[in-house]
Amino acid sequence: MKTLRNITIVFAMMAMIPLQVFAQKNEGYICYDTDCMFKVLTKMISQDDAEAAEAIVEFSQIVDNYRFTGDGRIREALVNSAVPFAGKFSNVEIMSYVISYFPTFCNERDIEELMRLVEHERIADQVIRAIGDIHNSKDYVLKYLVKNSNDIKYKGAWAYAIGKQHITDMEDTLISWLKGDDDMTKVDIYNALLVVGSNDKTTAIVRKGAKKLNKSKNWYCKIAGMRLLVALDGEKMMPELYKALKNKNSDVRKEALKLMEPYANQEVVDKVMKLTAKKTVSNIEVVEWLGNIKNDSQMPLVIRQLSSKDKTAVGTTIRAIFKIYNTAGVKCVDT
């Protein structure tokens, strides 16, 4: 147990370091004006991979600095540079990265400007989703959808925005969008209907669609189906989640374990351990899950993973031990 105690202490110290040195680390990553921000953004699309990588980190640090400090000067610099820069989409991958941060520093006053970016086909999907994540964008989303009701593109993204903004007026429209759309788009529509649905008929439509998605060979669709069914039926879905632990795709197995977490009593743990013994689910996936549910009943299995040659697995195990050790009442004494 001495080793367990020491590992936990070390990990706790590592976890504290970012907070202790936050200000120090970010001294070189502050932009208070548009020109400064444009320089960073321009470097992000540099042909020099090293320079581009450094600028990407710098941009994220600037956004983190704003998130941490709330400094209005940083926000203004970000909005006045990043939003028009995204419209140039000279590098779609980088533009998507920049757009993913919009909800962090954009607010209701910036939405009209963001709506103009919807006209750029290659980034429209990401922009719409970003708009959906911005507080009080409901009226803007609804206005656009009503105005363009006969020619709505990117229905999946708009469905995402409708769900995020809880626009109940669009319930019937969402149902109409289900006709003829691909499964990936239907995932967004079903998720939105789960939020804005107002009657049993809509619930039945979502459940039927979720069951179909759950049977899909596409891992993304299967995961979406599981999430919807658990949202609808809760613990009744446990038998299906146990079956999902036998899936060959690790993302499906991990999602099944995550969806089990609210119901993970000792009986559930024991059933999962039986599947682990049969090699249907990997030890490290279960160790991560045990950490998340803060269950200390399988510590011998957890400790054994520390001898793995896989550094990622060892890191996952240390994090799991940290979670378990700090919440399960384990008393560490020298032996």
Side-chain angles (χ1 to χ4, degrees), residues 133-149:
D133 283 325
I134 296 173
H135 183 61
N136 280 343
S137 65
K138 175 180 177 179
D139 290 343
Y140 296 90
V141 172
L142 190 56
K143 180 180 178 181
Y144 181 94
L145 292 173
V146 170
K147 182 179 179 180
N148 299 278
S149 60

Side-chain angles (χ1 to χ4, degrees), residues 5 40 117 131 150 184 206 213 261 276 314 331-332:
R5 182 191 63 187
V40 175
L117 297 179
I131 291 170
N150 294 324
M184 301 290 275
V206 175
L213 290 169
E261 289 179 11
T276 305
V314 173
K331 294 181 180 179
C332 291

Side-chain angles (χ1 to χ4, degrees), residues 203-265:
T203 301
I205 290 171
V206 175
R207 180 176 281 106
K208 182 179 179 180
K211 287 180 178 179
K212 184 176 180 180
L213 290 169
N214 188 42
K215 295 177 181 178
S216 174
K217 293 182 179 180
N218 179 298
W219 67 269
Y220 177 86
C221 291
K222 182 169 182 60
I223 286 175
M226 288 194 301
R227 288 174 179 168
L228 287 165
L229 289 170
V230 170
L232 288 167
D233 298 326
E235 196 171 4
K236 293 179 181 179
M237 272 295 293
M238 287 299 291
E240 283 295 318
L241 297 179
Y242 288 131
K243 288 180 183 178
L245 293 182
K246 301 176 183 179
N247 196 285
K248 294 180 180 180
N249 186 288
S250 63
D251 290 309
V252 172
R253 297 194 302 269
K254 288 178 181 179
E255 185 62 28
L257 287 168
K258 183 178 180 180
L259 291 170
M260 287 181 185
E261 289 179 11
Y263 319 106
N265 55 27

Side-chain angles (χ1 to χ4, degrees), residues 4-265:
L4 172 58
R5 182 191 63 187
N6 291 342
I7 288 172
T8 305
I9 291 172
V10 170
F11 184 75
M13 291 175 65
M14 290 172 63
M16 291 171 64
I17 289 174
L19 291 176
Q20 293 172 337
V21 300
F22 181 89
Q24 267 185 307
K25 287 177 65 178
N26 284 278
E27 283 180 357
Y29 297 114
I30 300 177
C31 274
Y32 291 127
D33 60 75
T34 305
D35 289 340
C36 172
M37 272 306 311
F38 263 120
K39 288 179 181 178
V40 175
L41 291 163
T42 302
K43 286 195 296 182
M44 288 173 68
I45 57 174
S46 170
Q47 297 298 313
D48 183 331
D49 290 343
E51 182 179 50
E54 181 181 351
I56 289 170
V57 172
E58 191 170 347
F59 177 78
S60 67
Q61 291 286 1
I62 291 169
V63 177
D64 284 342
N65 196 293
Y66 167 67
R67 185 188 287 118
F68 184 77
T69 64
D71 193 315
R73 294 171 298 172
I74 301 175
R75 192 198 90 83
E76 186 176 352
L78 283 164
V79 173
N80 291 340
S81 55
V83 174
F85 187 78
K88 297 178 181 179
F89 58 83
S90 54
N91 181 313
V92 176
E93 185 177 348
I94 295 298
M95 293 307 100
S96 297
Y97 179 77
V98 172
I99 292 165
S100 71
Y101 281 101
F102 280 1
T104 303
F105 56 81
C106 290
N107 59 36
E108 186 178 355
R109 289 174 294 172
D110 309 312
I111 295 176
E112 282 193 21
E113 186 67 28
L114 296 183
M115 286 299 243
R116 296 189 182 96
L117 297 179
V118 175
E119 303 306 317
H120 296 297
E121 183 176 348
R122 291 193 290 173
I123 60 171
D125 189 279
Q126 298 97 309
V127 171
I128 295 165
R129 292 174 192 273
I131 291 170
D133 283 325
I134 296 173
H135 183 61
N136 280 343
S137 65
K138 175 180 177 179
D139 290 343
Y140 296 90
V141 172
L142 190 56
K143 180 180 178 181
Y144 181 94
L145 292 173
V146 170
K147 182 179 179 180
N148 299 278
S149 60
N150 294 324
D151 185 31
I152 297 295
K153 300 177 181 178
Y154 321 111
K155 291 178 180 177
W158 285 116
Y160 175 88
I162 289 168
K164 281 289 185 175
Q165 294 298 313
H166 208 116
I167 307 177
T168 54
D169 295 347
M170 297 300 295
E171 181 177 358
D172 291 338
T173 299
L174 286 169
I175 293 172
S176 71
W177 286 356
L178 287 169
K179 298 176 182 179
D181 264 309
D182 59 275
D183 284 345
M184 301 290 275
T185 300
K186 287 179 180 179
V187 167
D188 285 311
I189 296 174
Y190 289 133
N191 282 328
L193 285 171
L194 193 64
V195 175
V196 305
S198 62
N199 52 60
D200 292 340
K201 182 179 178 180
T202 298
T203 301
I205 290 171
V206 175
R207 180 176 281 106
K208 182 179 179 180
K211 287 180 178 179
K212 184 176 180 180
L213 290 169
N214 188 42
K215 295 177 181 178
S216 174
K217 293 182 179 180
N218 179 298
W219 67 269
Y220 177 86
C221 291
K222 182 169 182 60
I223 286 175
M226 288 194 301
R227 288 174 179 168
L228 287 165
L229 289 170
V230 170
L232 288 167
D233 298 326
E235 196 171 4
K236 293 179 181 179
M237 272 295 293
M238 287 299 291
E240 283 295 318
L241 297 179
Y242 288 131
K243 288 180 183 178
L245 293 182
K246 301 176 183 179
N247 196 285
K248 294 180 180 180
N249 186 288
S250 63
D251 290 309
V252 172
R253 297 194 302 269
K254 288 178 181 179
E255 185 62 28
L257 287 168
K258 183 178 180 180
L259 291 170
M260 287 181 185
E261 289 179 11
Y263 319 106
N265 55 27

